[in-house]
Amino acid sequence: MPTTPAPTARPKRQGRRPGTSGSRQVILDAAQARFAQEGYAGATIRKIAADAGVDASLVMQFFGSKDELFGAVMSITLSTLSRFSEAFEGPEHSLGERVTRAFLQVWDGDPKDSEPLLAMLRSAISNEQASSQLREFIQARLTEAIAPQLPHLQDTATRAGIASSMLIGLVVGRRIVKVPSLVSEDTESLVRYIAPAVQAILTGGHDA
Amino acid sequence: MPTTPAPTARPKRQGRRPGTSGSRQVILDAAQARFAQEGYAGATIRKIAADAGVDASLVMQFFGSKDELFGAVMSITLSTLSRFSEAFEGPEHSLGERVTRAFLQVWDGDPKDSEPLLAMLRSAISNEQASSQLREFIQARLTEAIAPQLPHLQDTATRAGIASSMLIGLVVGRRIVKVPSLVSEDTESLVRYIAPAVQAILTGGHDA
DNA sequence: GGAATATCTCAACGATTGTTGAGATAGGTT
DNA sequence: AACCTATCTCAACAATCGTTGAGATATTCC
């Protein structure tokens, strides 16, 4: 009977411990910023590595491939998205305002919150992973969050999908295309313009 | 006094005439489809040339560079955009419906009409030319087309910018991200959902 | 101190990109 | 016919991409 412990029991390994330098997090931050700024196709491993002050091969060693690195950034995105749901509860007559404000406020806050979403938006055009994630966010997450606020309607998926797409379009116009009349307007002013429209989509009658 | 004519007067040149093979138009069509499907960064000269059944260097000979080829496709886009303006005239109480329908109908018609716009949309993320063109379209063209219909309002640029961005977001959700609940809905059904919202943005009161 | 393990750099690979120059081919003029 | 011009192909360039393997450096346990 050997004295060496079983492989599964108490590894108690010796040697250097993983993740002690913090470079992994620095790379992740740089990747998040690059993906947000240039999208999946535009961002390169070499530029991300340069931003992090690290060799490109180290990025590969940590994350395996560009796709897996992007996947790591996207998993951060998911946690950011989950914070939307909480903001939607309240009286139905002001649902449009709450949804609109929750949507717009994310993009005016900490870049560390908006960057993952920008990365997903910009990459949705060139990367299937980002595209399907954005699709699932609009279709499932947002619908699940909004539908309970409208228990008497049957077409909540359609209404939520339309409202979400239009709000995302607003972000595209304001943050990516940079339409002057949208950039110059502050969040609360935009909410006053948009909230009634979102309210009409979510709760308005659907006349034939 | 030489018998040869002056360089600027009556060229009357001999030799083969330009544009007799039609390859230039075939390349332009292939480029339009590729830019629409994969955006500026994703589309490559070699793939475009392969689609057109032509060598890649011929594309360069005709258009000079990838940027100039993209510029040629964008100039087609401008002519497509110009047809928007005509659809907006009419009574103010139904302006939202006309704008919404005009917007959505372009994407359900002939691909030769929607492809240039899709190319501009998809490329706006990776190419400054497409981005600034889309920005100018939303800010100037659409505002100029909608403003005359709302002579009594002062913030028409803001209202038109918001409405346009939201409608573009709808196209992004329906044609690029492919949100199921938007894809399955037909144009007229979407118009009934969206027109009241667009109407609210364009003509609604802006309460403080 | 060694031994083991993780972090990190260096150099290079194969593929793909936009682009270029030379030359072959086709069509129009005299 | 000869001549000119435009169309088009072929081969290759330099740059950049993601990715890989080997080795140097740092950290932890014995």
Side-chain angles (χ1 to χ4, degrees):
Chain A
M1 186 180 278
T3 56
T4 55
T8 54
R10 274 197 285 149
K12 221 178 186 183
R13 305 168 307 167
Q14 58 175 351
R16 182 174 182 171
R17 292 302 151 86
T20 50
S21 70
S23 292
R24 186 189 166 95
Q25 188 59 44
V26 175
I27 292 173
L28 215 44
D29 291 345
Q32 182 175 290
R34 279 288 179 183
F35 282 133
Q37 193 173 350
E38 309 175 11
Y40 178 85
T44 68
I45 297 274
R46 282 178 163 85
K47 281 188 283 187
I48 291 170
D51 290 348
V54 161
D55 192 89
S57 64
L58 185 61
V59 179
M60 302 294 296
Q61 204 120 27
F62 274 138
F63 296 96
S65 69
K66 184 183 181 181
D67 270 313
E68 292 176 87
L69 172 61
F70 185 67
V73 173
M74 287 294 100
S75 76
I76 298 174
T77 307
L78 279 183
S79 70
T80 302
L81 294 182
S82 66
R83 289 187 295 150
F84 268 109
S85 316
E86 312 157 0
F88 294 162
E89 295 177 14
E92 180 176 318
H93 69 86
S94 59
L95 177 61
E97 183 180 332
R98 287 198 309 282
V99 171
T100 304
R101 182 173 286 114
F103 225 96
L104 291 181
Q105 275 183 349
V106 177
W107 307 90
D108 285 339
D110 189 357
K112 282 280 166 275
D113 289 339
S114 57
E115 267 183 355
L117 301 172
L118 252 184
M120 185 178 66
L121 253 183
R122 279 213 150 95
S123 304
I125 276 136
S126 56
N127 185 276
E128 176 56 30
Q129 186 179 1
S131 179
S132 72
Q133 192 143 346
L134 182 55
R135 176 171 47 234
E136 199 259 350
F137 168 58
I138 294 176
Q139 186 63 52
R141 309 268 174 171
L142 280 183
T143 301
E144 286 173 7
I146 293 176
Q149 316 298 324
L150 304 168
H152 55 96
L153 292 177
Q154 295 174 0
D155 51 358
T156 51
T158 304
R159 293 171 182 268
I162 293 174
S164 305
S165 294
M166 294 182 88
L167 286 170
I168 283 181
L170 210 74
V171 172
V172 171
R174 198 155 179 241
R175 300 285 299 231
I176 296 181
V177 182
K178 294 186 171 58
V179 178
S181 63
L182 298 185
V183 174
S184 64
E185 217 78 18
D186 64 281
T187 302
E188 278 306 313
S189 178
L190 286 177
V191 169
R192 286 195 291 274
Y193 278 108
I194 297 162
V198 174
Q199 183 78 26
I201 288 176
L202 292 180
T203 69
H206 182 218
D207 304 326
Chain B
M1 186 181 277
T3 55
T4 55
T8 55
R10 275 196 283 148
K12 221 179 187 184
R13 305 169 307 167
Q14 58 176 353
R16 183 176 183 173
R17 291 303 150 90
T20 50
S21 70
S23 292
R24 187 189 166 94
Q25 187 61 43
V26 175
I27 292 173
L28 215 43
D29 291 345
Q32 182 174 290
R34 280 288 179 181
F35 282 134
Q37 195 174 350
E38 310 176 9
Y40 178 85
T44 68
I45 298 274
R46 282 178 163 86
K47 281 189 280 187
I48 291 170
D51 291 348
V54 161
D55 191 272
S57 64
L58 185 62
V59 179
M60 301 295 297
Q61 203 120 25
F62 274 138
F63 296 95
S65 69
K66 184 183 181 181
D67 270 312
E68 291 176 87
L69 172 62
F70 185 68
V73 173
M74 287 294 99
S75 75
I76 299 174
T77 307
L78 280 183
S79 69
T80 303
L81 294 182
S82 66
R83 288 186 296 149
F84 267 110
S85 317
E86 312 157 2
F88 293 162
E89 297 177 13
E92 180 176 317
H93 69 85
S94 59
L95 177 61
E97 183 180 334
R98 289 198 307 283
V99 170
T100 303
R101 182 174 285 112
F103 225 96
L104 291 181
Q105 276 183 349
V106 177
W107 306 88
D108 285 340
D110 188 357
K112 282 280 167 275
D113 289 340
S114 57
E115 266 182 356
L117 300 173
L118 252 183
M120 186 177 66
L121 252 182
R122 277 213 151 95
S123 304
I125 277 137
S126 57
N127 186 276
E128 177 56 30
Q129 187 179 1
S131 179
S132 72
Q133 193 142 347
L134 183 56
R135 182 181 332 137
E136 198 259 349
F137 168 60
I138 294 176
Q139 186 62 51
R141 308 268 174 173
L142 279 183
T143 300
E144 286 172 9
I146 293 177
Q149 315 299 324
L150 304 169
H152 57 95
L153 291 177
Q154 295 176 359
D155 50 359
T156 51
T158 303
R159 293 172 182 268
I162 293 173
S164 305
S165 293
M166 293 182 90
L167 286 169
I168 283 180
L170 211 74
V171 172
V172 171
R174 199 158 178 238
R175 300 284 302 230
I176 295 181
V177 181
K178 294 187 170 57
V179 178
S181 64
L182 298 184
V183 174
S184 64
E185 217 79 19
D186 64 280
T187 302
E188 278 306 314
S189 178
L190 285 177
V191 169
R192 286 195 291 274
Y193 279 108
I194 298 162
V198 174
Q199 182 77 27
I201 288 176
L202 292 180
T203 68
H206 181 218
D207 304 324

